[in-house]
Amino acid sequence: MTDTTIPSDIDPPRLLSIAAGLLDDITPRFIEGLGAPSAVDKGGNDFATELDLELERTLSARLTEATGIGVHGEEFGGPDVTSGTVWVVDPIDGTFNYSAGLPLAGTLLALLHDGRPVLGLTWLPLFGLRYQAFVDGPVICNGEPVPALRPTRLQDSVIAFGAFNLNSGGRFPGNYRVEILGEVSRQVSRLRLLGSTGLDMALTAAGKLGGAICFGHHAWDNAAGAALVLAGGGVVTDLAGEPWHVTSSSMLAGSPGVHEELATIIERVGDPADYLPERTPRTRGGAS
């Protein structure tokens, strides 16, 4: 459950049905375009393909026409995502994988109200998987409800870990990410770096992964997954343990039990600012 108050004029089941139909409509183009080359350089080794642009234009136009609700997309932006009701779309999540011909990619779509998730959809056409849910659950995969998440332990789980570069700075420096990676590795059964936040979160919601650590903050990457994990009975916060909101700087998702263990590890690692490359190394909160 969430503390999102849904306006009376929003009909989540109807909107979920419309959104699912529109994602089904673009699935053939998504599959056909696997391996599409970079077309737009975003800097920092990030890019978009021409298909990213095409699919976002198509989805945005059809969603707006069918629902009267504005759309904020990764490639073209859109209405404010922190207030009111808005769709958020990532036409190809895991673009680097997709362009390389790897199937670890999908389309993410979420509905937000005042910055909190109302519903989410993650379409993974190259695996034949379609996940959708209203935040009160259940998660539906290919038309069938997914069992609610049960309490699990980190030592029995597979955990997805977000991207990192040891030399990076920013909010979560490379040294900080590696420290978390190392500490989690001491307790977890297995770690995986899949290169797609949407895939990480959908598999967490479905109970295939015990949890996922995401260092990114973009609404189009995180909103759909947040909705799915909440719908599945999981816990979604930022890395500091605060309930996830579209303004959150990160995302930590997991089944009950696993999320708590991950949050404890991250808290013990300490302040990300202490891991900036120019800082003098010190003994970091219990992670030595």
Side-chain angles (χ1 to χ4, degrees):
M1 298 289 289
T2 73
D3 60 1
T4 302
T5 301
I6 310 301
S8 59
D9 61 340
I10 292 180
D11 181 353
R14 170 181 169 271
L15 294 177
L16 198 60
S17 177
I18 291 171
L22 293 178
L23 290 182
D24 283 344
D25 288 345
I26 67 167
T27 289
R29 283 290 292 137
F30 187 101
I31 295 172
E32 177 185 288
L34 181 64
S38 168
V40 179
D41 184 0
K42 299 181 180 182
N45 203 29
D46 191 15
F47 61 87
T49 70
E50 287 290 354
L51 193 59
D52 283 273
L53 308 180
E54 175 192 326
L55 294 182
E56 185 170 316
R57 288 191 191 99
T58 300
L59 271 177
S60 295
R62 293 179 181 176
L63 276 169
T64 302
E65 179 181 5
T67 69
I69 298 171
V71 182
H72 187 109
E74 176 177 5
E75 310 305 335
F76 298 109
D80 181 9
V81 295
T82 64
S83 64
T85 304
V86 60
W87 292 105
V88 182
V89 62
D90 185 348
I92 303 178
D93 178 64
T95 304
F96 209 104
N97 290 342
Y98 185 81
S99 188
L102 298 173
L104 304 169
T107 299
L108 313 180
L109 180 60
L111 187 72
L112 296 174
H113 180 71
D114 290 344
R116 297 199 181 278
V118 175
L119 57 85
L121 305 94
T122 296
W123 254 229
L124 304 170
L126 301 169
F127 290 110
L129 295 172
R130 301 175 298 158
Y131 292 100
Q132 58 183 297
F134 174 48
V135 288
D136 283 339
V139 175
I140 303 297
C141 178
N142 294 352
E144 298 294 330
V146 175
L149 297 175
R150 297 181 296 176
T152 51
R153 300 180 300 173
L154 193 55
Q155 69 182 45
D156 299 322
S157 301
V158 180
I159 298 299
F161 196 83
F164 68 91
N165 180 330
L166 186 57
N167 294 326
S168 66
R171 291 181 305 275
F172 303 110
N175 287 326
Y176 172 76
R177 301 185 190 204
V178 171
E179 191 74 14
I180 292 175
L181 181 68
E183 290 303 302
V184 171
S185 75
R186 297 176 189 271
Q187 299 185 42
V188 72
S189 178
R190 294 291 187 274
L191 280 161
R192 297 289 182 263
L193 278 72
L194 301 178
S196 164
T197 300
L199 180 61
D200 292 348
M201 297 300 163
L203 296 181
T204 298
K208 309 300 183 184
L209 296 172
I213 300 170
C214 170
F215 299 100
H217 67 281
H218 295 301
W220 49 81
D221 288 326
N222 296 350
L228 290 176
V229 175
L230 289 170
V235 184
V236 186
T237 66
D238 62 14
L239 295 186
E242 295 298 320
W244 187 85
H245 182 269
V246 75
T247 59
S248 296
S249 62
S250 55
M251 186 159 66
L252 177 66
S255 61
V258 168
H259 181 278
E260 182 179 357
E261 290 185 71
L262 289 173
T264 297
I265 291 171
I266 292 169
E267 181 181 15
R268 190 168 66 239
V269 166
D271 187 344
D274 290 336
Y275 292 80
L276 288 167
E278 65 270 18
R279 291 290 182 92
T280 301
R282 65 170 178 81
T283 301
R284 291 158 177 146
S288 59

